[in-house]
């Protein structure tokens, strides 16, 4: 099996792990920002819309950061595995 053929299933596994990492990183940050144990939903009447927006923006930032970090590491690792030298 070539490196390119391995990249798709390996990439999927890394992205799944990244989703778990993002969720684990988001939980304590959400509790800090929203000061609640569960994520506020947009339809909850006892929550303000700025609180919901803040939590949504935080989630987007965490997911974006983890995705960028994993994509960069994946490109570097794939380049090394495929023999393309430095993939930076």
């Amino acid at each position: 099996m070539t490196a390119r053929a391995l990249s798709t299933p390996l990439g999927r596994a890394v992205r799944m792990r990244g989703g778990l990492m993002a969720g684990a990183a988001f939980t304590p940050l959400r509790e800090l920002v929203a000061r609640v144990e569960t994520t506020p939903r947009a339809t909850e009447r006892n929550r303000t819309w700025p609180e919901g927006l803040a939590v949504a923006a935080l989630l987007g930032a965490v997911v974006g950061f983890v995705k960028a970090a994993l994509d960069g590491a994946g490109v570097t690792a794939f380049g090394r595995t495929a023999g393309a030298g430095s993939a930076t």
Side-chain angles (χ1 to χ4, degrees):
M1 202 173 246
T2 66
R4 188 168 301 277
L6 284 173
S7 69
T8 300
L10 187 59
R12 287 182 182 157
V14 168
R15 283 191 300 273
M16 286 176 55
R17 180 72 176 167
L20 294 173
M21 289 170 49
F26 173 67
T27 300
L29 291 174
R30 177 203 65 220
E31 291 173 358
L32 181 67
V33 170
R35 294 186 174 93
V36 293
E37 291 184 17
T38 59
T39 304
R41 298 190 188 276
T43 56
E44 290 182 19
R45 291 182 182 235
N46 61 338
R47 303 276 183 232
T48 62
W49 65 268
E51 183 182 29
L53 288 177
V55 171
L58 179 64
L59 176 60
V62 169
V63 168
F65 176 81
V66 170
K67 182 181 182 316
L70 290 176
D71 285 348
V75 166
T76 302
F78 181 75
R80 288 181 185 155
T81 302
S86 178
T88 57

